[in-house]
Amino acid sequence: MKRITIKNAKLDVDIVRYSISSNFSEDAIKKTGEIIENVRKYGDEAIKKYTSKYDKVELDSFKVNNEEIEEAYNCISDDHIKTIKLIRDRLIKNETILLEHLKEISYLYPQSENLQRTFQPISSTGCYVPGGSARYPSTLIMCVTPAKLAGVKRIVAISPTKKDGKIDPLTLVSADICGVDEIYKVGGAQGIAGLAFGTDSIKRVDKIVGPGGIYVTIAKLLVSNIVSIDMLAGPTELVIYADDKSNAKYVALDLISQSEHSKDTLCGLVTNSHEFANKVEEEINSILAKKISRQEIVTNSLHGNGFIAISENEDSAIEFVNEIAPEHLQIMAKNELKIVKRITSAGLVLLGENTPSAASDYCLGSNHVLPTMGFGKSRTSLSILDFVRISNIVKSSKKEIKEIEPFVKIITQEEGLINHYKAVKERVRES
């Protein structure tokens, strides 16, 4: 893990993020653009071609049928189903609180004389669920549950298949339990393009949500001029702010837990203690000296992108954290409540030594689809807010038009839009 001494937060963050941002290479963007353009032109034919090329799977059709869902149920246990329902229900509980507040706002706005605002669900959404060699039924739950709760009428899920041409059974069962309307065996940039443009098999959607690899992220960016997206969710990020009184083994385990996602994850520690930094590094090395699951990925991630940032004081540490705007921020310090009040940029903040990101990824009721690559400065996790639109209805009167006419005249003259003023003036003249 690289070590830095925090001196200039912005420059230090640029150093930490360099290896990740370089993934958005011109070649990757060009390659993704070609895939998208071919899907736009040739639809299903192009999707089949790219699925064969990149996933090594030959598909006659994309849509998952009822028989495949029934078969998936036979592959999992009752405990699996209980787990899926627990994750979903905890998420519903927290999202419902937010939904109730939206209803209150909708109730208050009609009191306005000429402006009404109501919250309406979007008509359709496509949820991208990473798959292939991995399985992420939890991501399906995180994407679909708030959409369902918001009232989205058509919810589509897409996910790449395993080598046998089938989607992971637990993911299929999760989709069925959560109420997905259509499931397609499609992944990668070609899947994103299918959702954006529509094909003979896949009807286009109004919004695409969900995380994926670098090509999925680039694809979402490239189609965002024709379809809404939630965010650019890149590799997983975890920053832990800890003081010398924290549990070094917990910190080490938490960094390892997030780094096992992929070799390009960004995981690091911010502390004001060189001694504590050494303890954490010793714990990591001790754990990696033994054989652990996904060891090669963890090792490559921590050696390639992992960091320990040493701050001289709390101010510089907080400035660094806010500048990096991590996906997950764990605060494990004695004055955590004081520190959290000063955090303005993080996808999700986790307080205390018993709130690991590994738990929030699943069962704490929070959503694990979170902003990365610094977008924590402007948004937080996926929620029902991503699946509703504010409907604005305005009604004016002759009297009000007459009152605002002189002000419209002034501003339209300044902006050179005289025909705007004439449209208002005519109504005043007739009154």
Side-chain angles (χ1 to χ4, degrees):
M1 298 176 74
K2 67 174 71 75
R3 287 209 186 194
I4 60 173
T5 300
I6 300 174
K7 295 179 180 178
N8 182 308
K10 189 176 188 314
L11 292 179
D12 294 334
V13 167
D14 287 344
I15 293 171
V16 166
R17 284 198 175 279
Y18 174 75
S19 60
I20 305 297
S21 60
S22 62
N23 286 335
F24 279 79
S25 65
E26 288 185 14
D27 286 344
I29 294 172
K30 181 181 178 182
K31 182 178 177 181
T32 306
E34 290 173 354
I35 293 172
I36 290 171
E37 180 61 16
N38 282 328
V39 172
R40 186 187 71 81
K41 288 181 177 178
Y42 305 113
D44 289 345
E45 181 184 342
I47 292 179
K48 288 179 182 179
K49 170 189 168 184
Y50 289 119
T51 300
S52 174
K53 181 177 180 178
Y54 296 118
D55 298 338
K56 310 301 180 186
V57 174
E58 304 293 335
L59 295 176
D60 293 325
S61 62
F62 306 130
K63 192 171 184 179
V64 173
N65 57 42
N66 291 334
E67 288 75 17
E68 290 174 282
I69 295 174
E70 289 175 8
E71 181 184 341
Y73 273 99
N74 294 328
C75 297
I76 66 170
S77 68
D78 289 342
D79 285 341
H80 283 125
I81 293 176
K82 288 178 182 177
T83 300
I84 293 302
K85 290 183 176 179
L86 181 141
I87 296 172
R88 180 201 60 181
D89 291 346
R90 286 195 165 209
L91 186 57
I92 286 175
K93 183 178 179 180
N94 283 339
E95 289 291 305
T96 298
I97 295 171
L98 179 56
L99 183 62
E100 291 302 318
H101 283 297
L102 292 184
K103 289 178 180 178
E104 291 175 9
I105 294 171
S106 294
Y107 173 76
L108 291 174
Y109 267 115
Q111 309 305 316
S112 172
E113 290 183 5
N114 63 341
L115 174 63
Q116 292 186 18
R117 283 178 169 166
T118 58
F119 289 84
Q120 297 177 334
I122 61 176
S123 296
S124 61
T125 189
C127 304
Y128 189 90
V129 183
S133 59
R135 49 159 57 179
Y136 290 101
S138 59
T139 295
L140 184 139
I141 300 169
M142 298 294 168
C143 290
V144 173
T145 301
K148 197 74 176 177
L149 199 60
V152 178
K153 291 182 174 61
R154 175 174 169 256
I155 302 176
V156 179
I158 67 170
S159 185
T161 70
K162 300 180 293 178
K163 297 303 180 185
D164 61 3
K166 297 179 181 179
I167 292 177
D168 164 64
L170 193 55
T171 300
L172 284 185
V173 170
S174 299
D176 188 57
I177 290 174
C178 292
V180 172
D181 299 300
E182 304 160 30
I183 313 168
Y184 295 95
K185 295 176 280 189
V186 179
Q190 64 270 25
I192 297 298
L195 290 174
F197 295 107
T199 70
D200 290 340
S201 299
I202 306 171
K203 184 180 175 182
R204 65 162 301 188
V205 298
D206 296 323
K207 187 168 189 176
I208 300 173
V209 304
I214 188 66
Y215 289 104
V216 168
T217 302
I218 293 173
K220 287 172 69 176
L221 174 63
L222 295 181
V223 301
S224 62
N225 63 327
I226 62 165
V227 63
S228 294
I229 64 170
D230 53 347
M231 64 185 89
L232 298 180
T236 291
E237 300 172 355
L238 169 64
V239 170
I240 300 177
Y241 182 114
D243 59 22
D244 57 1
K245 303 300 181 184
S246 302
N247 188 314
K249 188 171 185 177
Y250 286 178
V251 173
L253 287 169
D254 290 347
L255 292 172
I256 287 172
S257 73
Q258 287 300 325
S259 66
E260 74 172 336
H261 276 286
S262 62
K263 64 181 181 180
D264 53 0
T265 57
L266 181 67
C267 298
L269 166 68
V270 179
T271 184
N272 61 355
S273 169
H274 286 275
E275 183 181 353
F276 183 73
N278 292 336
K279 285 182 181 178
V280 170
E281 197 152 28
E282 288 170 7
E283 288 286 355
I284 290 174
N285 291 335
S286 175
I287 294 170
L288 293 182
K290 306 167 187 176
K291 187 173 178 59
I292 66 169
S293 174
R294 300 171 74 85
Q295 184 155 16
E296 184 178 355
I297 294 174
V298 171
T299 301
N300 287 338
S301 172
L302 291 178
H303 286 177
N305 310 310
F307 68 90
I308 295 176
I310 309 294
S311 65
E312 294 181 357
N313 52 59
E314 187 176 283
D315 289 343
S316 63
I318 291 173
E319 184 182 4
F320 177 86
V321 168
N322 282 330
E323 184 62 35
I324 200 168
E327 178 186 18
H328 306 88
L329 170 64
Q330 289 180 214
I331 302 177
M332 299 166 64
K334 57 182 178 294
N335 57 340
E336 61 190 36
L337 295 179
K338 176 186 173 185
I339 293 169
V340 74
K341 290 179 180 178
R342 299 179 62 190
I343 299 300
T344 58
S345 303
L348 177 68
V349 181
L350 303 158
L351 291 183
E353 66 175 23
N354 293 312
T355 318
S357 54
S360 71
D361 277 348
Y362 302 109
C363 297
L364 295 184
S366 55
N367 199 306
H368 78 207
V369 179
L370 295 159
T372 63
M373 300 183 293
F375 287 101
K377 291 182 179 181
S378 59
R379 68 157 297 148
T380 56
S381 66
L382 194 73
S383 73
I384 58 172
L385 295 176
D386 288 283
F387 301 100
V388 296
R389 57 181 293 275
I390 300 175
S391 173
N392 293 280
I393 301 172
V394 181
K395 182 176 175 60
S396 185
S397 64
K398 284 278 189 181
K399 179 183 178 183
E400 189 166 15
I401 287 292
K402 190 171 183 178
E403 290 173 353
I404 67 170
E405 178 264 337
F407 305 104
V408 173
K409 181 179 181 180
I410 291 171
I411 194 64
T412 53
Q413 285 177 338
E414 290 299 318
E415 294 188 354
L417 301 174
I418 306 304
N419 290 311
H420 277 60
Y421 173 62
K422 287 181 178 180
V424 173
K425 182 181 179 181
E426 182 64 19
R427 286 166 169 79
V428 174
R429 189 181 65 82
E430 290 182 351
S431 62

